[in-house]
Amino acid sequence: MKDAVEEQTDRKAWMSLLAKAPEGRISELLDATVSRPKFTWLRPPEIGSTMVRARAGAAGAPFNLGEMTITRCALTLEGGAVGHAYIQGRRKTDAEAAALADALMQTSVAPQLQRDVLTPLSEELRARKSARAAKAAATKVDFFTMVRGDD
Amino acid sequence: MYVAVKGGERAIENAHAWLAEERRGDKDVAELSVAQIREQLSLAVNRVMAEGSLYDPDLAALAIKQSRGDLIEAIFLIRAYRTTLPRFGASKPVETAAMACDRRISATFKDLPGGQILGPTFDYTHRLLDFKLAADGDVPEAPERATEPAEVPHVADFLNQEGLIEEALFDDTEPPDLTREPLEMPAARALRLQALTRSDEGFTLGLAYSTQRGYARNHAFVGELRIGSVPVEMDIPELGFSVEVGEVILTECETVNQFTGSKTEPPQFTRGYGLVFGQTERKAISMALVDRALRWEELGEDNVGAPAQDAEFVLYHADNIQATGFLEHIKLPHYVDFQSELELVRKLRREAGAAAVQEAAE
Amino acid sequence: MDAQTLTGGFAEPAIHAAHAFRSVMEAMARPGKIHEIDGAEPPAPLSKAGGAVLLTVCDRDTPIYLAGALECDAVRAWLAFHTGAPIVGPSHAMFAIGTWEALGPLSAYPVGTADYPDRSATLIVEREELGEGAKLTGPGIKEVASLNLPEIAVFQDNHALFPLGLDFIFTSGSQLAALPRSTEVS
């Protein structure tokens, strides 16, 4: 049995992963493994923004950098599980899919969702990151000394 | 003076229709898609996001298309759209130390942990027009080198270990927000940084250049310039914890500036900071130089009267939407104002003429 | 999180908020006139009208002070989900809600500054019922209006601060009426 802190850490991790999925990808993976359950909107998808903050000198006092678009929604399944989504961009269908996945992760189909939705999303994210890092690494400068001035 | 007049509706409608047609241009040429603009004019998209102060590449691309490539007009559209969005919250300060770097260079240290990563830069191109691009051409895949994505430490941290650079003191006060409260002087650094990150690139570049040419000279080196993506994490009040809602690409520049000491501070290096949405390195470097020049008072330096030291001058003129709004309104009808000026000049001339006649008579 | 606290918001946010805003605006423009406001199903002890006003005018930029019995988990959670507004003490509040007894003393609330008279609090006073009472005159009232007020002198003192001062909304069930600082009370 997991304690409350662990449950919260897990949920934070999967919500963060769902938020970074490319457009349409959650629906593809979700619909391939489960049929969508009935749900009621607590908050239909709505588009807004969040103010992105940063720190002066990367480590000092916070300042407001600018906003980014966000889509959020909340829904409840017939069994009572509540799913939330807060995702970047203006993507109502993706927000719905993310909130459904969040709700389903609190039900008995969680292991199946972990295997068929979250694990693939996580692997795809890592692959995108690695590909970009590999291109950056190829532009890393290897210095070699041609002439040294003293003696 | 303002007087409401009616008329010209038909003319305005027809002007809009012609504008739409001109925007489309020659219909024998394929139409640009928003995705094409987003992918192939990405630096223009980045500028519109940075100065529009809203991170959304698709919206910025749409604005560029609608504005026929007039970036200030596109920024205007984004600013206007932004005001219609409900704000759900504010993020935690982004951790640029954890940035997945596409580019990371230092002009102060050759060998540094993490290395010099050039990234997709124009720096070493020869600035010769590439006529191959005029014809369609496949672009080969860029080479890759196997690596594990890893965090790259900040250059300032190395100087900090020796105590040679002023420390960025950690602080968690709620920052002021110029999109909510009007800009007031004196402006705290947090407010100055917000104004600078959304400021006009050309204006900020010009000011930064003026500091290099001797107006408030402070010998800036680019301690570090990095471009890459960082996650954005925000507290969700109804959940009671925070989640990452996405990722943004940022350009960060930290300058290391010579500082001979002041009444309050020993000789050491000081810092200027630039952080801007997107791949926007000219702007980020400019911002860092202007930020440093504006810090003269808190560092106990002399005000030499340079434009870049004058916070009121810099911050009240850096916003291109404010500037263009006020500038361009003078082309709109001012018939009544001008009529009164005309009357005045005629009257003065009559009086001057009468005086001359009287003088000649005496 | 309990799904109960997540329900009871405006079912059609754009339409309900627009209607509710209209009610609040009309009430402020016609001091003392009683209006209906609905669309919200807030948790007890918050009234429907009080809940609808908060949903309409509050978001995360408008700190709220919850006075007395309204300072409870159910109301806090409901407001967090539907408005995101921070809950603060009276001196930092832009809006405050509670019974007249719980809200006092009024000296705790910001009344604005000479440069920015709008940086003042609006108090939402939950009443047993709204009806006739004190005589109201001033902007927005043709001759004289009437509204039952919990006291008289306090509102006269508040009016004397004009252009500074507090604004009041009185709520009961699904009804509301307003008393802006510009209204004279006798």
Side-chain angles (χ1 to χ4, degrees), chain A residues 8 10 26 33 45 70 72 85 95 133:
Chain A
Q8 185 171 314
D10 287 350
I26 302 172
T33 186
I70 298 277
R72 70 173 179 183

Side-chain angles (χ1 to χ4, degrees), chain B residues 200-222:
Chain B
D200 183 73
E201 178 172 315
F203 180 83
T204 314
L205 169 66
L207 276 175
Y209 180 44
S210 76
T211 70
Q212 291 184 293
R213 289 193 63 253
Y215 295 88
R217 191 178 195 88
N218 51 44
H219 289 278
F221 294 97
V222 171

Side-chain angles (χ1 to χ4, degrees), chain C residues 108-135:
Chain C
Y109 300 94
V111 294
T113 64
D115 283 346
Y116 297 101
D118 55 309
R119 292 182 185 174
S120 56
T122 299
L123 273 56
I124 302 161
V125 187
E126 298 261 53
R127 304 297 309 279
E128 287 290 323
E129 57 179 352
L130 303 182
E132 307 232 316
K135 251 177 70 182

Side-chain angles (χ1 to χ4, degrees), chain A residues 50-53 64-68, chain B residues 53-55 194 197 277:
Chain A
T50 188
M51 176 55 91
V52 182
R53 287 185 176 157
N64 291 306
L65 186 64
E67 287 163 78
M68 65 191 270
Chain B
S53 206
L54 184 68
Y55 197 100
Q194 185 185 11
T197 192
F277 278 159

Side-chain angles (χ1 to χ4, degrees), chain B residues 280-293:
Chain B
T280 41
E281 94 181 37
R282 183 184 305 117
K283 170 72 175 288
I285 300 169
S286 301
M287 175 176 168
L289 263 59
V290 176
D291 169 51
R292 175 61 187 78

